[in-house]
Amino acid sequence: MEEMMQDNNTEDEISSKAKGKDSDKKFLIGIICGMLVSMCILGIVLIGKQAYRSYRMDKAIKAGSYGESGEGYSSKLVDETLASKIVTLESVIDKYYLNEYTTEDLETGIYRGMIDALGDKYGEYYTVDEIKKAREDSDGVFGGIGAYISYDEDLNCCIIAGTMEGGPAESAGLREGDVIYKVDDIDAQGMESSEVVKYVRGEVGTVVHLTLIREGENNTIEVDITREYIDSNTVYSELMEDNIGYIGITEFDTVTSDQFVEALAVLKGQGARGIIIDLRGNLGGNLDTACDIARNILPEGVIVYTIDKYDNKKEYTCDGEHELDLPLVMLVNKYSASASEVLTGAVKDYGKGRVVGTTTYGKGIVQTIVPLSDGSAVKLTTSSYYTPNGICIHGTGIVPDVEVELDVDAYYDNGFDNQLDAAKAEIHKIWEESY
């Protein structure tokens, strides 16, 4: 019995050990299977990521090969190396960058960077919303403070080139020549005018804080201005003493030519015997608008012509049917630019009027806004323009026939405009010379 008992115990031990070995084997197989499944999943993920990256690179390369320049355009820039680096940078940003961002932010940054890299101070990339606002501005309707902002290369800052009559900026005491040092808490030094304008404009009823530097003042000037809905009347007119008609043009928008024609007709109807066109602080605008106005002044001939990178010449002409038959004086200053210089240069070349004031800004290049298929757009310098006598004034400006510096203190303290008085005097001289 004892031997049988011992035999039975030995069989039980052997059976238990066999079961343990089977269990260990199953556990090991389970681990191996789990590892294989994990490796498969990881492989699928890696393949997916690589496929996505390949898709992104292929998309970027195709975008460069078939862009707005025309079907079949072969990109000099976009290739697999560049596309791969963009994907890598995106990965690094996603992994390490502290703050929130969107893919739209990165895409817009890439587009802006390409335009900025050109060194074209007037070049700009517009998002869909930005181009919409730009078109509203061109139509003469926008929100803001009612000030004209220009970039001063000597100061490397933007300045107030003028204010709209009765607008928030004028009411707040802003002056022509004020340097914009800060907008709210943002340092504006070195910013182009388009960038400063973005910060100055905002929702109607909100307040923008400007820090200004004014010549003759020891301390900065701090001003809070409430933004208003600005419906820009770009032409102002009145019949002054001695029946001298005055027409001030603040900018060349799509509405400006009709406003000018109406103002000129009214002044003639009131018995105007001479016309002063005031373009001081007029930074330019729409070239076609400037030419439309010129067609109500000039004799038959070329108003201005442009030449692009391919030496293509485009002429803007006048039929002479509405040539002005009154003495004319153009009033300009160093902030009269672009389209203002087109009009002034044509008047001077044809001898249709005299130019009074100070040398103009000197912007003799033309920008074109090119719409893109997704609704965005780019603005690029596309050509140089020349006055009827073949003069390109870029970088030099138009020198007035009668040079007169504005007496700033007298203008802002007493409302006395010595440049306007000089323009009136020229009208009188033309009358005297005609008799």
Side-chain angles (χ1 to χ4, degrees):
M1 284 292 290
E2 290 179 359
E3 289 181 0
M4 290 181 63
M5 288 291 292
Q6 287 174 351
D7 289 341
N8 288 338
N9 288 340
T10 301
E11 289 176 1
D12 289 343
E13 288 175 4
I14 292 171
S15 176
S16 176
K17 288 179 179 178
K19 289 180 179 178
K21 287 181 179 179
D22 289 341
S23 178
D24 290 343
K25 188 182 291 184
K26 289 179 179 178
F27 179 71
L28 181 61
I29 291 172
I31 291 175
I32 293 171
C33 289
M35 291 176 65
L36 288 173
V37 171
S38 297
M39 290 175 68
C40 288
I41 293 172
L42 180 61
I44 292 170
V45 172
L46 291 174
I47 291 170
K49 283 188 174 181
Q50 184 60 41
Y52 174 70
R53 289 185 178 183
S54 298
Y55 163 76
R56 290 288 298 274
M57 285 188 281
D58 184 61
K59 185 178 179 182
I61 291 169
K62 286 181 178 179
S65 300
Y66 299 93
E68 295 295 325
S69 298
E71 178 121 7
Y73 172 76
S74 179
S75 174
K76 305 178 184 68
L77 176 65
V78 180
D79 57 15
E80 290 189 9
T81 301
L82 177 64
S84 177
K85 188 163 186 176
I86 290 173
V87 172
T88 300
L89 286 172
E90 183 181 0
S91 175
V92 170
I93 292 169
D94 187 58
K95 185 174 181 179
Y96 295 106
Y97 184 58
L98 175 64
N99 299 319
E100 295 293 325
Y101 72 93
T102 65
T103 54
E104 289 78 13
D105 293 334
L106 297 182
E107 289 177 6
T108 300
I110 291 171
Y111 308 145
R112 291 198 199 285
M114 288 185 69
I115 303 302
D116 289 345
L118 298 175
D120 182 355
K121 63 181 291 185
Y122 302 106
E124 192 166 0
Y125 170 78
Y126 296 99
T127 64
V128 175
D129 288 339
E130 288 169 346
I131 191 61
K132 180 181 178 182
K133 289 180 181 178
R135 285 170 179 151
E136 287 174 354
D137 293 352
S138 180
D139 289 338
V141 180
F142 53 89
I145 65 172
Y148 303 103
I149 297 173
S150 175
Y151 175 75
D152 190 304
E153 291 185 352
D154 294 333
L155 298 174
N156 192 32
C157 282
C158 286
I159 53 89
I160 301 297
T163 58
M164 295 181 184
E165 186 175 354
E170 184 184 64
S171 300
L174 269 61
R175 294 185 177 185
E176 178 186 301
D178 283 347
V179 177
I180 303 173
Y181 181 60
K182 286 185 178 181
V183 181
D184 291 325
D185 293 326
I186 302 168
D187 188 348
Q189 294 183 83
M191 284 187 184
E192 295 291 342
S193 58
S194 59
E195 191 173 3
V196 172
V197 167
K198 289 179 185 177
Y199 290 117
V200 169
R201 289 179 182 170
E203 187 177 348
V204 172
T206 60
V207 175
V208 60
H209 182 83
L210 299 182
T211 303
L212 307 170
I213 297 174
R214 181 173 295 167
E215 187 176 356
E217 298 287 342
N218 294 326
N219 299 318
T220 58
I221 297 172
E222 309 290 334
V223 183
D224 286 321
I225 305 177
T226 301
R227 299 179 176 100
E228 295 181 5
Y229 184 79
I230 306 295
D231 185 357
S232 178
N233 183 10
T234 61
V235 175
Y236 301 88
S237 63
E238 66 171 301
L239 187 66
M240 301 185 292
E241 67 274 11
D242 298 326
N243 284 357
I244 298 175
Y246 170 87
I247 301 176
I249 305 175
T250 57
E251 56 189 318
F252 293 93
D253 294 333
T254 54
V255 298
T256 306
S257 57
D258 288 340
Q259 292 177 0
F260 175 83
V261 170
E262 181 181 356
L264 184 60
V266 169
L267 290 173
K268 284 184 174 181
Q270 292 175 337
R273 298 172 53 234
I275 300 293
I276 295 172
I277 298 179
D278 189 351
L279 298 178
R280 291 177 296 177
N282 186 320
L283 303 173
N286 192 305
L287 176 61
D288 288 329
T289 299
C291 291
D292 285 342
I293 291 174
R295 293 184 180 102
N296 290 276
I297 297 172
L298 300 179
E300 182 179 1
V302 174
I303 301 169
V304 65
Y305 65 89
T306 62
I307 297 180
D308 66 14
K309 66 185 293 184
Y310 304 106
D311 289 329
N312 295 319
K313 183 178 181 180
K314 180 178 181 180
E315 292 185 343
Y316 297 78
T317 60
C318 174
D319 58 18
E321 292 183 5
H322 303 284
E323 182 178 356
L324 184 66
D325 57 356
L326 296 174
L328 175 66
V329 169
M330 307 295 292
L331 191 52
V332 297
N333 65 4
K334 63 180 179 179
Y335 304 123
S336 304
S338 191
S340 292
E341 294 172 295
V342 168
L343 181 57
T344 303
V347 168
K348 186 174 182 180
D349 279 7
Y350 279 106
K352 281 299 299 181
R354 295 178 186 175
V355 182
V356 175
T358 56
T359 301
T360 60
Y361 185 85
K363 182 176 180 288
I365 48 180
V366 179
Q367 284 69 49
T368 301
I369 294 179
V370 183
L372 305 181
S373 59
D374 64 353
S376 61
V378 291
K379 181 171 70 174
L380 296 172
T381 297
T382 54
S383 58
S384 298
Y385 79 72
Y386 297 81
T387 67
N389 289 343
I391 301 170
C392 182
I393 52 83
H394 190 66
T396 58
I398 298 173
V399 179
D401 299 307
V402 181
E403 189 159 358
V404 181
E405 289 281 350
L406 178 67
D407 187 335
V408 177
D409 291 334
Y411 181 80
Y412 287 105
D413 294 342
N414 306 315
F416 174 70
D417 190 339
N418 64 309
Q419 288 181 325
L420 181 57
D421 269 16
K424 294 175 183 176
E426 286 304 307
I427 293 288
H428 281 277
K429 287 181 182 178
I430 295 173
W431 286 340
E432 293 171 0
E433 292 167 1
S434 299
Y435 298 134

